[in-house]
Amino acid sequence: MTTGHRRRVQGTRAPAPSETQGDMTDDFTELPDDAQDTAAAGDAPRRTAVVAEDESLIRMDIVETLTEAGFDVIAAVGDGESAIEKTRELRPDVVILDVKMPQTDGVTAAEKIGEENLAPVVMLTAFSQSELVERARDAGAMAYVVKPFTPADLLPAVEIAISRHQQIVQLESEIADLGERFETRKRVDRAKGLLQTNMGLSEPESFRWIQKTSMDRRLTMREVADAVVDQLGGQGKD
């Protein structure tokens, strides 16, 4: 991995990650000189990352790799519980989790992050951790990288995880939208039936009435249909 000269940076434009290990917290982080120049030069919003790795040297290398690739590492921690807390608080674009960490391991952290749909997760594993890799996959990890790794291994996995997560979010949104449209159609159909029965309108006339009322009163067709059902739905029951 690229090492290069490092310097301590405080008060940069991007929030500095907090190094947390045990009960010790360091508000400074060491970033390469050229990473600072990159952060100052770019006007486009930088994607954000949370890194959780209990080995400090590996954690620093991951931070450096992501920073040089254009990410803001907004938290770098040494245990799974802190990773969950930071992910809930900061809502990063991606989370990098080592499988084995103190307090809460990476798989458990991935499960909680996935359950709350907070961010895509990339798991860091060792060759001997095949069972944990399967658990990580079942927990919802979008990609994993085997140690030892290079930037050429880590960065594609990060991009894959972000892309897969975006696809899932989009699909869930489309499914929810389809459900909403189906429910609206059911309610409009019921309102049309009531208008035909109680007001003597034809089906096209009923639909046009609902549509026009929706535009005139700046309501959704579903809201108009609900109002029709509320007013006319109980008539004729006595």
Side-chain angles (χ1 to χ4, degrees):
M1 304 204 43
T2 304
T3 54
H5 173 66
R6 299 175 184 267
R7 65 181 179 186
R8 284 196 175 274
V9 180
Q10 183 181 16
T12 59
R13 187 168 63 88
S18 60
E19 292 286 344
T20 304
Q21 193 168 18
D23 296 328
M24 298 181 62
T25 300
D26 182 3
D27 291 332
F28 300 85
T29 188
E30 293 183 345
L31 298 178
D33 293 344
D34 54 354
Q36 289 304 115
D37 298 334
T38 302
D43 293 331
R46 289 160 62 90
R47 292 177 296 179
T48 57
V50 167
V51 175
E53 163 63 63
D54 60 330
E55 296 186 38
S56 59
L57 291 178
I58 297 177
R59 184 167 67 244
M60 291 171 63
D61 280 340
I62 296 170
V63 169
E64 180 180 335
T65 296
L66 292 173
T67 302
E68 290 178 347
F71 285 83
D72 279 335
V73 181
I74 51 181
V77 299
D79 64 88
E81 192 60 37
S82 296
I84 297 168
E85 293 174 0
K86 289 297 182 182
T87 301
R88 283 176 179 154
E89 175 188 353
L90 302 173
R91 295 300 180 99
D93 293 304
V94 68
V95 182
I96 316 295
L97 295 175
D98 186 31
V99 167
K100 288 190 174 181
M101 289 186 292
Q103 297 186 40
T104 301
D105 64 40
V107 176
T108 301
E111 288 173 343
K112 292 185 178 180
I113 291 170
E115 287 171 0
E116 299 179 33
N117 197 26
L118 300 176
V121 172
V122 176
M123 299 298 303
L124 307 179
T125 69
F127 282 111
S128 60
Q129 296 171 335
S130 57
E131 181 180 344
L132 292 176
V133 170
E134 293 180 4
R135 281 185 57 205
R137 179 197 61 203
D138 295 340
M142 298 293 171
Y144 70 92
V145 179
V146 177
K147 297 179 180 180
F149 54 85
T150 67
D153 300 317
L154 177 62
L155 295 175
V158 168
E159 295 297 340
I160 288 171
I162 293 174
S163 177
R164 286 178 176 172
H165 186 259
Q166 290 173 342
Q167 291 172 3
I168 291 172
V169 169
Q170 182 178 357
L171 180 60
E172 289 175 345
S173 176
E174 290 173 356
I175 291 172
D177 184 57
L178 286 173
E180 177 71 16
R181 283 189 284 174
F182 180 69
E183 183 63 27
T184 296
R185 181 174 177 176
K186 286 199 306 181
R187 297 189 187 194
V188 169
D189 284 344
R190 186 181 178 196
K192 286 193 302 181
L194 289 169
L195 288 171
Q196 292 174 68
T197 301
N198 292 276
M199 307 298 295
L201 301 178
S202 66
E203 182 178 357
E205 288 172 341
S206 299
F207 181 78
R208 284 196 296 270
W209 186 90
I210 294 172
Q211 190 177 48
K212 184 175 185 302
T213 303
S214 170
M215 292 185 293
D216 290 346
R217 300 189 180 182
R218 296 182 180 180
L219 300 171
T220 65
M221 292 185 66
R222 179 168 173 170
E223 289 172 329
V224 174
D226 286 343
V228 170
V229 171
D230 288 342
Q231 292 182 31
L232 302 180
Q235 294 185 15
K237 292 185 178 181
D238 296 334

